[in-house]
Amino acid sequence: MDTSTAQALIRFGMGRRKGEALPGDPVAWLRQQLLQPDPALAEPGPTTAQALRAIQRDQQAMQTMGGATTSQAEALFTPGIERLALTPVITAAPFRERLVWFWINHFTVSLRGVGDRRSLLIAYVREAIRPHVTGRFEDMLTAVMHHPVMLLYLDNISSVGPASPFGLKTGRGLNENLARESLELHTLTQASGYTQQDVTEYAKILTGWTFNLDLPDQGTHFALSTHEPGPKTVLGETVPHGAAGLARALTFLAHHPATHRNLALKLCRHFIADNPPTGAVERIADVLRRSGGDLGAASMALIDLPEAWVPQTKLRGSADFAWAVLRGLGFDTLPPDFLGFHLFALDQPLLNPDFPAGFPDTAADWGNGALLLRRAEWLVALINFHQDHDPVALAHDLLGAHLSETTLATVRGAASRRDALVLLFASPEFQRR
Amino acid sequence: MIAPTRRRMLLVLPGLATMGRVSLAVAAAGTENRLVVVMLRGGLDGLGTVVPIGDPDLRGLRPGLVPPSPGEPGGLLPLNDFFALHPALAGLHRLYRAGEVLPIHAVAPPHRNRSHFDAQDYMEIGASHRLSSGWLNRAAALIPASPAVPAALALGTHTPILLRGPAKVGNWAPPAWQPLSADLSSRLMRLHARDAVTGPALAEALHERGFTDAVLQGHAPPPPNNPFTVLAERAGLLLAAAEGPRLAALDILGWDTHTSQLARLGWELSRLDEGLMALRAGLGAAWTRTVVLAISEFGRTARENGTGGTDHGTAGVAFLLGGAVAGGRVLADWPGLTPNALFENRDLRPTLDLNRVIRAVLAAHLGLSDVALADVLPESTGAQPMAGLLRG
């Protein structure tokens, strides 16, 4: 496997699967993944309406039977998250899948923040993230900001316009959590210079957007009774009263130059280096500006950046590392306890980061010695049961031109087949992408 | 980048990730005094924690957020005529009466920001722009360390910004899987020896395991139902060791009480209280030489919000506790809670710069000179250290 093929599979993809055929033209292979629809969308998955109905039925069962029933919502969630965690291991479109997880992390909804509504998170990935990964950023932002699970996670469902009919009657008021994180993390960032006043105005625009479990088929809806009356102004952009206000605000935010800079920097940090070259960031921001926020065009442009073809500049995060190991070993199911224990202990519980900022993306965060030791300990535990591989051949197959003499000699000289495989996957080259 | 005369160690208190939203980092130094910084991430509601029951405007601003009065069932714990402690902080209240707790009110870090992430980052960096290290790391780098003493440990896989920087810090976590055999460890270390990132990190992690294993041997951990308690107790034991670290940073999350604050804050404060008592127990006799500084990135809005909670605010409360603290009183230049007194008609107004407290602790407890303090908190050279915070 030559350098550019290894780079396509490892830098842009999820690592080579054992026995996977190599693409003849690595660049064409990457582009093709962006041109074809997400294969995961061809599979059935819970819709938001199904998840809402299941949650509603669970609540009705709790009231009538005291909860001694199996949860319909959990019956959607459990296979859903297992499928989500397995897809990176088996996908034939790993570059697209990397982008999916990049955008899931950009628009973080954490399991810790949504409680027994977590089946909605599975539908969120399917409906708000996947369809827009090569589409327009404005469409993804709009889908995310209207999805029940985001409205729940960042508290918008409990935000009330103080001067709305409901606010005047109850004295309830704004919760500005979603407005703040949307500006800071999802769109402009603080570098744009927005003020507390902008956050408050945006929070007023967002009032009324909610969902109602009594009407689960309705999904998200706009409740005029809690909407703060009157026009609002965010960063000088005035939007009208009512449901149209949010659409106008999202269009403005999605196409703001500060948003393009934020997205370009994060994409380049993910696919090039922890501190990506300014020129590369500017090129991606420029593509976003010229294309009206076309994420497919921005992803294509990443492939064209020479800086993205400099190998081994990024340390893999723990989920990417574990997925690459499972691909390398040829897994087609998840090992037991992978979601419930392994990823927790490797410091990246899936879909469950501490903060709305999501999981970190630099070597400063993933390069601590104790975590590297723990990765090696996990490998021992895993490979104890999966030793049926030729370590030297696998080293060549998985790392190709990236394989160093030191790692090859270490694998060759290991005390056992198991240790040889552990050292291969724990090597500096395999920890990187 | 790393001072060659100083050997540093990183520990991660194992199982941290599985244990939830806490983490701990520890740094060693050539002093017998111990300093623990507890970061209450998420924005602690100071008005709900050290409650100004003597302020006539309090209950009007937050009718649903004030626990019952002192003396009533589940009532507030009186500190003086004006302030009372949240009822969940019974352990702290006992220590307060023993003169070992000093609540500091209407305090805020100098670099204010209502974003959690920026506010925490700047509080930990100790500056208004992004330096590449945290202030506790810079303090650790200035304290003479014996080469035999591990200078830095982190309990939790994640070293906080507060302890990041040239004085290296590491991690410890309860083992999730069997430790590597000695043979595999040494092969792994050699395999990474020439890697500038993973090489030094692995070497330190392996070396430091020897130290923590020796200190913690024979000490059964507390039940893991409160992960903060487990980490705090382990931190206490490691800090108490004669050759152990002297500086530590502990995280406890859960303070972002936008909704249902009355119930949530009580629950989180009882976790904090239990953990701080476990820290004290772990420290044993070393408690007399310990200062614990508990801080949060901002306080919360004075008014109750529309959802039985509070939103991101400005000034809040900090705590100093430990045998070295001159406590048993509340330190506050109380700004009042009238609409004009509130900051932006919304938040408790800051009347004290947190860096005056930090500078006082670093000077009096760790013996840092004015020149050293200017390295640690470069933008706060005008912040006069508060006098009289510590004993002796």
Side-chain angles (χ1 to χ4, degrees):
Chain A
M1 184 164 62
D2 62 24
T3 303
S4 61
T5 308
Q7 191 72 350
L9 266 63
I10 292 168
R11 163 62 52 82
F12 291 99
M14 294 269 180
R16 191 179 184 191
R17 254 188 86 77
K18 189 183 183 190
E20 183 180 14
L22 294 177
D25 179 343
V27 170
W29 176 73
L30 292 172
R31 286 171 190 249
Q32 199 56 32
Q33 295 179 44
L34 302 178
L35 296 172
Q36 288 170 351
D38 187 335
L41 286 173
E43 297 160 11
T47 63
T48 300
Q50 285 169 339
L52 287 168
R53 270 199 302 278
I55 294 163
Q56 182 202 35
R57 289 195 197 113
D58 282 355
Q59 290 188 340
Q60 290 164 346
M62 279 291 275
Q63 283 158 10
T64 56
M65 286 174 274
T69 58
T70 51
S71 162
Q72 295 197 20
E74 288 302 285
L76 297 179
F77 173 75
T78 306
I81 192 169
E82 284 171 359
R83 188 75 202 170
L84 260 180
L86 179 64
T87 301
V89 179
I90 58 175
T91 182
F95 179 33
R96 178 177 273 278
E97 190 66 14
R98 279 279 301 285
L99 289 164
V100 168
W101 285 93
F102 172 88
W103 290 110
I104 290 173
N105 203 51
H106 180 79
F107 286 115
T108 284
V109 171
S110 180
L111 288 170
R112 70 174 72 253
V114 299
D116 62 4
R117 313 290 164 88
R118 60 192 195 167
S119 53
L120 287 168
L121 187 44
I122 306 302
Y124 169 78
V125 172
R126 186 183 170 74
E127 294 175 4
I129 303 293
R130 284 195 187 274
H132 305 296
V133 158
T134 50
R136 296 192 324 146
F137 179 71
E138 182 182 350
D139 294 339
M140 188 187 290
L141 178 68
T142 300
V144 162
M145 293 296 284
H146 287 81
H147 197 277
V149 85
M150 181 61 88
L151 299 174
L152 169 70
Y153 175 54
L154 291 177
D155 300 324
N156 203 64
I157 58 168
S158 48
S159 185
V160 176
S164 69
F166 188 73
L168 289 172
K169 195 170 75 183
T170 60
R172 289 179 55 181
L174 293 176
N175 184 311
E176 61 191 29
N177 214 11
L178 178 58
R180 183 181 302 281
E181 310 304 16
S182 175
L183 293 183
E184 178 185 343
L185 301 173
H186 303 161
T187 60
L188 303 177
T189 77
Q190 289 215 321
S192 65
Y194 64 79
T195 64
Q196 173 62 40
Q197 181 68 17
D198 293 314
V199 174
T200 304
E201 287 287 294
Y202 188 25
K204 289 176 182 171
I205 295 168
L206 282 161
T207 51
W209 287 102
T210 188
F211 65 97
N212 187 345
L213 282 176
D214 295 331
L215 302 165
D217 291 324
Q218 198 175 34
T220 295
H221 71 102
F222 178 75
L224 206 53
S225 59
T226 55
H227 184 66
E228 181 73 359
K232 296 97 183 166
T233 302
V234 175
L235 277 100
E237 176 81 359
T238 299
V239 309
H241 169 86
L246 181 58
R248 282 276 292 277
L250 294 180
T251 300
F252 172 73
L253 292 172
H255 297 281
H256 196 287
T259 299
H260 292 155
R261 274 196 299 277
N262 179 29
L263 304 181
L265 176 62
K266 285 185 78 173
L267 281 165
C268 289
R269 182 181 295 136
H270 192 64
F271 284 101
I272 296 177
D274 291 356
N275 295 301
T278 314
V281 177
E282 283 170 0
R283 261 171 291 166
I284 300 300
D286 194 49
V287 169
L288 285 167
R289 184 167 56 252
R290 282 187 286 112
S291 67
D294 183 333
L295 300 180
S299 305
M300 283 289 184
L302 281 172
I303 304 172
D304 294 333
L305 289 174
E307 295 93 331
W309 294 82
V310 179
Q312 299 268 294
T313 55
K314 288 285 295 183
L315 210 57
R316 276 175 163 145
S318 277
D320 279 352
F321 170 75
W323 281 326
V325 169
L326 298 181
R327 285 177 72 87
L329 290 168
F331 274 67
D332 44 27
T333 57
L334 294 177
D337 298 326
F338 182 73
L339 272 172
F341 179 65
H342 299 180
L343 288 179
F344 271 88
L346 295 174
D347 212 22
Q348 196 173 12
L350 210 64
L351 300 178
N352 204 5
D354 283 337
F355 297 112
F359 290 108
D361 198 14
T362 67
D365 301 292
W366 298 112
N368 85 64
L371 177 61
L372 296 172
L373 272 183
R374 209 148 351 128
R375 286 182 179 182
E377 290 161 352
W378 171 68
L379 288 170
V380 172
L382 181 77
I383 291 170
N384 269 333
F385 299 98
H386 300 278
Q387 298 183 33
D388 189 18
H389 306 275
D390 174 344
V392 172
L394 197 61
H396 285 294
D397 285 352
L398 299 184
L399 292 170
H402 293 352
L403 178 64
S404 72
E405 286 301 321
T406 307
T407 295
L408 186 58
T410 304
V411 169
R412 278 191 207 285
S416 67
R417 180 182 290 257
R418 183 201 70 180
D419 286 4
L421 291 165
V422 168
L423 289 162
L424 160 60
F425 289 115
S427 67
E429 302 95 290
F430 200 88
Q431 305 267 4
R432 288 195 168 76
R433 54 174 158 77
Chain B
M1 210 167 78
I2 300 156
T5 53
R6 304 204 45 183
R7 186 156 50 80
R8 290 309 203 299
M9 308 181 113
L10 253 196
L11 302 190
V12 177
L13 196 55
L16 202 83
T18 55
M19 290 164 57
R21 303 178 293 169
V22 290
S23 66
L24 160 68
V26 191
T31 168
E32 279 303 298
N33 288 346
R34 276 80 165 172
L35 172 62
V36 182
V37 179
V38 179
M39 284 176 291
L40 302 123
R41 295 184 189 274
L44 172 71
D45 183 41
L47 292 173
T49 303
V50 174
V51 186
I53 49 174
D55 192 303
D57 294 305
L58 175 74
R59 285 167 204 276
L61 287 169
R62 36 171 64 204
L65 299 183
V66 183
S69 296
E72 293 177 17
L76 289 157
L77 309 168
L79 297 173
N80 57 28
D81 291 344
F82 192 83
F83 291 108
L85 205 55
H86 192 286
L89 295 172
L92 270 190
H93 190 242
R94 278 196 305 280
L95 292 187
Y96 177 87
R97 290 165 66 151
E100 295 184 342
V101 176
L102 178 62
I104 302 169
H105 221 318
V107 65
H111 315 295
R112 286 172 203 147
N113 194 308
R114 291 197 189 101
S115 144
H116 290 300
F117 320 107
D118 282 330
Q120 289 177 22
D121 287 359
Y122 293 131
M123 180 176 77
E124 295 177 62
I125 290 166
S128 60
H129 58 286
R130 292 188 180 273
L131 308 175
S132 54
S133 60
W135 62 262
L136 194 60
N137 184 286
R138 298 194 293 277
L142 290 165
I143 295 165
S146 131
V149 175
L153 326 157
L155 289 101
T157 51
H158 203 67
T159 303
I161 288 172
L162 182 70
L163 265 176
R164 284 202 210 148
K168 291 222 323 193
V169 189
N171 312 84
W172 179 69
W177 295 283
Q178 285 287 321
L180 298 182
S181 68
D183 175 71
L184 200 47
S185 296
S186 68
R187 286 174 197 257
L188 184 68
M189 207 154 72
R190 283 202 303 277
L191 178 57
H192 284 265
R194 285 191 292 174
D195 189 301
V197 174
T198 58
L202 268 174
E204 283 154 11
L206 281 166
H207 186 85
E208 138 194 305
R209 277 206 181 167
F211 166 76
T212 48
D213 288 355
V215 171
L216 299 178
Q217 194 171 29
H219 292 279
N225 39 13
N226 178 354
F228 177 68
T229 299
V230 176
L231 294 184
E233 193 252 10
R234 302 279 103 170
L237 290 169
L238 292 166
L239 286 161
E243 291 295 291
R246 295 294 175 262
L247 306 180
L250 262 164
D251 275 3
I252 177 167
L253 283 72
W255 309 104
D256 196 17
T257 47
H258 287 281
T259 57
S260 314
Q261 175 172 308
L262 196 60
R264 284 172 59 190
L265 189 61
W267 191 76
E268 301 293 356
L269 286 173
S270 65
R271 290 202 309 135
L272 174 69
D273 194 65
E274 184 187 278
L276 292 174
M277 297 309 112
L279 174 66
R280 180 170 179 264
L283 279 158
W287 175 253
T288 58
R289 307 201 62 163
T290 296
V291 170
V292 180
L293 171 64
I295 53 180
S296 193
E297 70 266 29
F298 45 63
R300 308 190 69 82
T301 47
R303 287 182 191 86
E304 189 172 336
N305 68 10
T307 56
T310 48
D311 293 323
H312 304 182
T314 306
V317 76
F319 290 95
L320 283 177
L321 62 150
V325 171
R329 64 206 163 97
V330 179
L331 186 67
D333 175 8
W334 191 245
L337 296 174
T338 61
N340 283 340
L342 291 178
F343 179 67
E344 297 180 355
N345 185 24
R346 145 192 179 110
D347 305 337
L348 180 64
R349 179 177 297 279
T351 56
L352 176 61
D353 175 355
L354 177 66
N355 280 0
R356 294 189 63 198
V357 176
I358 295 172
R359 280 171 59 93
V361 170
L362 294 176
H365 196 56
L366 298 183
L368 296 193
S369 66
D370 282 355
V371 175
L373 288 175
D375 276 355
V376 176
L377 295 170
E379 295 170 1
S380 286
T381 48
Q384 193 62 30
M386 289 293 290
L389 299 181
L390 306 185
R391 289 181 199 282

